[in-house]
Amino acid sequence: MKEKTFLKQIRQTKNKENKEKRPFSIRLFPILVLMVILLFAWKSLRPENPLFQKGQSTTLYVKTEVGTEAVFLPEKYFSKDEIVFSKLAWDFGGVDWNVPGVYRVKLFYDGKETNCTIEVQVLADEKKKAQKMWGASEGYSSF
């Protein structure tokens, strides 16, 4: 009989200890779950920078004539709310301004490569093209 009462006392003390610990752990768990849910909601609702969207590529077009360096104006393509223009960078070093053709230049944002490409079209001077086609030299016309 003494053993049964002793076991009852042990169980009662264990139950009291568990009850004392339980409120703390129950309060902490829902807070952690709520924080994880809020973190995922914040990440999914926050709009992604359009320059880094995966699975999408964007080509921006710039035209210029032979001998004239192109002027790329980011304001023409992006809004001030989406992008900080001072963080944009591009290098026209691979473009030969004296040779007509199409050149592709990568666009960087804050030092990271973006999904955007600038396509530079260096166009031949139309007046010179017409003169070559008709065989006329500058200042002389056969008409």
Side-chain angles (χ1 to χ4, degrees), residues 76-122:
K76 188 175 174 182
Y77 302 98
F78 305 107
S79 72
K80 292 178 184 176
D81 301 331
E82 295 175 330
I83 293 168
V84 178
F85 297 133
S86 62
K87 292 184 177 183
L88 284 174
W90 57 90
D91 182 20
F92 285 144
V95 178
D96 189 351
W97 303 110
N98 297 316
V99 178
V102 178
Y103 302 91
R104 297 179 75 78
V105 177
K106 283 306 247 174
L107 185 67
F108 295 90
Y109 186 76
D110 203 19
K112 298 176 188 171
E113 189 174 325
T114 65
N115 63 3
C116 288
T117 304
I118 304 170
E119 186 174 292
V120 180
Q121 296 177 351
V122 179

Side-chain angles (χ1 to χ4, degrees), residues 15-64:
N15 285 340
K16 284 181 183 178
E17 289 174 6
N18 287 342
K19 285 181 182 177
E20 289 175 6
K21 289 182 183 177
R22 186 181 270 168
F24 178 71
S25 63
I26 287 177
R27 289 183 200 147
L28 184 62
F29 181 72
I31 291 172
L32 290 174
V33 169
L34 183 62
M35 287 176 60
V36 168
I37 290 171
L38 288 174
L39 178 70
F40 281 118
W42 181 71
K43 280 191 150 196
S44 66
L45 294 176
R46 190 182 72 188
E48 189 177 354
N49 190 329
L51 293 175
F52 298 107
Q53 288 179 349
K54 294 177 182 167
Q56 178 182 355
S57 64
T58 307
T59 304
L60 311 173
Y61 297 94
V62 178
K63 291 182 181 179
T64 187

